Amino acid sequence: MTSQITKRYAAAYFKVAKEKKVIQEVYNDLKVLKAVASKFKKILIEVNSPISTKSERFSFVENLFEVYKFNSLTKNFLSLLAKNKGFDLLEQIIKHWLTLYLNFKNEATLEVISVKKIKESELNYIKKFFEKEFGKKVQLKNTLDTSILGGIIIKIGSSVIDNSIATKIKSIGFVLKEEAQ
């Protein structure tokens, strides 16, 4: 349910930004807002709490607008979230909006998850392969995660290719468990 709501907010916000020809400005605002939301999660929770007043939420939006000089459309969007107590949805809305933006620009985010940093030449090979495969320009991100034990996990769009040792061990565990029964 929440996912559908955040997608609707993002789609409406993106549509208006496109109509007003301020997509790049809103994109820049949302990159900043994403960092702010991540850094100040506790403040967002407080502002969104049932005990916060409408004027406190709108004051919060005004302060953000003053400090970060957001586009007026971003201010209106944040005001709508303040009115609807929707700050708990902010990070997901931003995520969906950025996905719409990448599709609009014919780009995709490719995340390569590994235990250790992958060589630049190997990352470039993976990037070129997926650019050719998806027909889009790819923004590459190498994330380190020791919990996968080894191998790699590749995420692009809604596709996931999991070739991690942790997943292989789980698969073997399921097979052994089924055979034991």
Side-chain angles (χ1 to χ4, degrees), residues 146-165:
T146 57
S147 71
I148 69 168
L149 303 176
I152 62 172
I153 299 172
I154 297 174
K155 295 180 180 180
I156 185 164
S158 60
S159 301
V160 177
I161 302 168
D162 189 341
N163 200 17
S164 67
I165 292 176

Side-chain angles (χ1 to χ4, degrees), residues 110-159:
L110 173 71
E111 182 179 15
V112 179
I113 303 167
S114 59
V115 173
K116 61 181 184 176
K117 185 150 177 57
I118 297 175
K119 293 178 192 173
E120 201 63 38
S121 61
E122 293 170 338
L123 287 174
N124 283 333
Y125 177 80
I126 293 169
K127 179 180 177 181
K128 286 178 184 173
F129 173 82
F130 281 96
E131 284 179 338
K132 184 178 178 186
E133 193 68 27
F134 284 85
K136 294 184 175 193
K137 184 177 180 207
V138 169
Q139 296 177 2
L140 187 69
K141 176 179 165 187
N142 185 199
T143 305
L144 303 181
D145 181 356
T146 57
S147 71
I148 69 168
L149 303 176
I152 62 172
I153 299 172
I154 297 174
K155 295 180 180 180
I156 185 164
S158 60
S159 301

Side-chain angles (χ1 to χ4, degrees), residues 18-36:
K18 190 175 173 183
E19 288 169 358
K20 293 188 178 267
K21 299 183 182 350
V22 291
I23 287 180
Q24 194 60 46
E25 291 92 334
V26 170
Y27 170 78
N28 295 337
D29 288 353
L30 290 181
K31 294 298 268 186
V32 171
L33 198 52
K34 182 179 178 184
V36 169

